Amino acid sequence: MRTQIAIIGAGPAGLFLGHLLHKAGIEVTILERKDRAYVEGRVRAGVLEQGTTNLMKQLGVDARLKKEGLVHTSTNLAYDGEIFRINMAELTGGSTVTVYGQQEVMRDLFDAAAERGIKIIFDAGDVTLHEIESDHPFVTYKKDESEERLDCDYIVGCDGYHGVSRGAIPASAYTAFERVYPFGWLGILADVPPVNHELIYANHANGFALASMRSPTRSRYYIQCSVDEKIEDWPDERFWDEVCLRLGPEGSHNLVRGPSFEKTIAPLRSFVGEPMRFGRLFLAGDAAHIVPPTGAKGLNLAVSDVTILGEAFAEFYNLGSPKGLEGYSARALKRVWKAERFSWWFTSIMHRFPNTEAFDRKMQIAELSYLKTSRAAQTTLAENYVGLPIE
Ligand SMILES: Cc1cc2nc3c(=O)[nH]c(=O)nc-3n(C[C@H](O)[C@H](O)[C@H](O)COP(=O)(O)OP(=O)(O)OC[C@H]3O[C@@H](n4cnc5c(N)ncnc54)[C@H](O)[C@@H]3O)c2cc1C
């Protein structure tokens, strides 16, 4: 088989890129190691930046988003029992975020891909990249017990943090930057109305909590926990008690409890690998970088990477210019590092770090108190939260 662009992974990065390339008239084949139900079923991101919703509109996959997405103009921070609101739209000249689950985004992208004939090969096993330094790269994989080969002009690794693409770059040509945080997030989903119509991020002496949502009838709550915590030790009642304590009396007085139907613990990590291109291989999304979820940036960064890469491929195939492809890594990394900085900073001021001194907590409280009263500080948070422009 032959295609122009082979994409590894049908997560958000792979599917958005598939749509962008298809729209530009470029031939694409996406290899996904799992089936559609698995990819669509993963409960992950929920907060979409303005740039992400704009891209969904541009690609014509926003019909449900327009009807069901919850547009948020503001967000709330809580500490020491107090809550204050940051009006992001007012501070950024009208930008907002939209609450719309990653599962819904994936469903819209898969439905449109099927309608438009974008080729996705599910259950592709043992995907292996070959000759990425030559001008005739190819990918081999197993499908229904038979060995297949896909020849292409370029390969794009959109296969997430645990994928195979990143490992195809020789260690001597690659530098990894990483911070692993000494805690995780215990998250639940429950079919109860959200405690508030906007998100509440709370810094409590016991640790961080986040009150979020997926719809007017479905709530998403997280609390910071230790990395070796066991889910069995967190029956629903214990979780609800802790989340109420951390949100404080004002933040939790409307909270409706109910049985959770999803409960997971996720570790927190910051990671960037440079460069994001080697030979005929490009990396995008979680395959190239990871952020802690505090800033809600992961899916959105995948989208900005593939927006840049989609433009570069269109320039190459339709105008004959390789400039965009040559500049992809540097251009994407500029935005990636800014999102990394924001996610690291927001994580640092909102979480309890084990074995840190009372002084560090005082610094967090001083920073939050400054945010509460300073328009300049709020503007900085707001413009990062709604998403920085692609330069
Ligand atoms: C608890 C949690 C909350 C989050 N909240 C937010 C949020 O609010 N906002 C936000 O923007 N982000 C959030 N994120 C992050 C977001 O979910 C990810 O950044 C996003 O899924 C990255 O998309 P991706 O396509 O790069 O990678 P993935 O979603 O990881 O997709 C990679 C795909 O590649 C496939 N694959 C892997 N290996 C292979 C292989 N060898 N061969 C073929 N296919 C392969 C996988 O099956 C998968 O389908 C959250 C993440 C978590 C865990």
Side-chain angles (χ1 to χ4, degrees):
M1 267 202 308
R2 201 188 145 80
T3 189
Q4 287 177 306
I5 312 294
I7 297 176
I8 321 290
L15 273 199
F16 271 112
L17 182 62
H19 278 281
L20 280 164
L21 297 182
H22 179 78
K23 195 170 181 217
I26 300 164
E27 204 182 296
V28 54
T29 299
I30 306 176
L31 298 174
E32 167 58 51
R33 87 181 153 162
K34 301 282 191 178
D35 60 17
R36 174 174 166 169
Y38 172 87
V39 181
E40 211 176 292
R42 288 181 314 166
V43 178
R44 302 182 98 194
V47 179
L48 307 182
E49 289 177 356
Q50 185 80 58
T52 301
T53 50
N54 291 350
L55 181 64
M56 289 181 73
K57 183 174 177 197
Q58 188 193 318
L59 292 172
V61 292
D62 65 334
R64 280 196 321 127
L65 172 74
K66 274 194 294 202
K67 271 192 264 159
E68 296 170 27
L70 306 172
V71 175
H72 286 195
T73 55
S74 305
T75 197
N76 302 277
L77 301 191
Y79 69 101
D80 277 356
E82 288 187 51
I83 294 193
F84 63 97
R85 191 158 180 253
I86 297 183
N87 190 329
M88 299 177 296
E90 195 216 321
L91 294 161
T92 61
S95 293
T96 56
V97 294
T98 302
V99 170
Y100 189 67
Q102 181 165 333
Q103 292 166 291
E104 310 308 324
V105 175
M106 295 311 296
R107 188 175 137 198
D108 297 338
L109 292 171
F110 277 129
D111 283 351
E115 276 163 29
R116 295 169 189 181
I118 296 173
K119 191 164 183 185
I120 306 173
I121 299 174
F122 291 103
D123 300 310
D126 291 344
V127 170
T128 311
L129 287 64
H130 303 270
E131 302 197 22
I132 57 171
E133 284 182 77
S134 76
D135 50 13
H136 46 265
F138 63 98
V139 183
T140 54
Y141 61 97
K142 267 200 192 131
K143 174 80 184 165
D144 301 330
E145 303 300 309
S146 75
E147 295 280 347
E148 304 287 343
R149 170 175 168 147
L150 177 64
D151 287 280
C152 54
D153 298 340
Y154 292 96
I155 303 172
V156 186
C158 295
D159 48 351
Y161 185 66
H162 301 287
V164 290
S165 301
R166 196 171 63 242
I169 303 178
S172 58
Y174 189 75
T175 309
F177 303 86
E178 185 171 43
R179 168 147 308 169
V180 178
Y181 298 88
F183 41 73
W185 275 19
L186 170 60
I188 66 153
L189 269 176
D191 277 330
V192 290
V195 63
N196 187 46
H197 66 289
E198 296 160 351
L199 273 64
I200 305 175
Y201 289 86
N203 175 324
H204 184 270
N206 279 14
F208 170 75
L210 171 60
S212 183
M213 70 214 50
R214 287 293 179 270
S215 74
T217 55
R218 180 164 289 182
S219 298
R220 181 86 165 130
Y221 288 97
Y222 296 101
I223 53 170
Q224 172 186 351
C225 64
S226 82
V227 270
D228 41 23
E229 204 89 43
K230 291 193 176 57
I231 285 182
E232 310 81 84
D233 295 337
W234 283 93
D236 286 353
E237 275 317 300
R238 181 179 175 206
F239 184 92
W240 290 121
D241 288 345
E242 190 62 29
V243 94
C244 286
L245 179 74
R246 294 188 192 185
L247 290 173
E250 194 187 336
S252 65
H253 77 277
N254 284 332
L255 191 138
V256 181
R257 298 179 181 217
S260 67
F261 62 88
E262 215 263 351
K263 199 181 274 168
T264 44
I265 293 179
L268 267 68
R269 176 191 304 273
S270 297
F271 170 87
V272 182
E274 294 189 358
M276 287 170 63
R277 176 197 182 165
F278 181 78
R280 294 260 171 164
L281 169 67
F282 293 85
L283 298 177
D286 280 12
H289 40 70
I290 293 286
V291 282
T294 325
K297 292 285 164 240
L299 184 150
N300 295 301
L301 265 188
V303 167
S304 56
D305 287 352
V306 299
T307 301
I308 297 170
L309 191 53
E311 262 175 40
F313 277 130
E315 234 174 77
F316 178 71
Y317 283 104
N318 301 335
L319 304 173
S321 166
K323 263 182 94 178
L325 292 180
E326 286 162 7
Y328 165 70
S329 178
R331 192 173 172 212
L333 280 166
K334 241 189 196 178
R335 191 173 189 280
V336 166
W337 276 114
K338 288 181 185 142
E340 289 282 347
R341 186 208 67 81
F342 175 68
S343 304
W344 157 83
W345 167 79
F346 204 19
T347 303
S348 306
I349 66 160
M350 296 308 293
H351 290 74
R352 177 166 177 240
F353 285 72
N355 309 319
T356 50
E357 295 171 16
F359 180 83
D360 298 286
R361 171 122 182 100
K362 288 283 185 195
M363 288 298 102
Q364 288 185 334
I365 298 304
E367 184 131 18
L368 287 162
S369 158
Y370 175 56
L371 262 167
K372 186 178 170 188
T373 51
S374 161
R375 187 177 170 90
Q378 290 191 5
T379 304
T380 300
L381 185 145
E383 65 185 20
N384 280 277
Y385 196 81
V386 299
L388 294 174
I390 295 174
E391 290 173 37

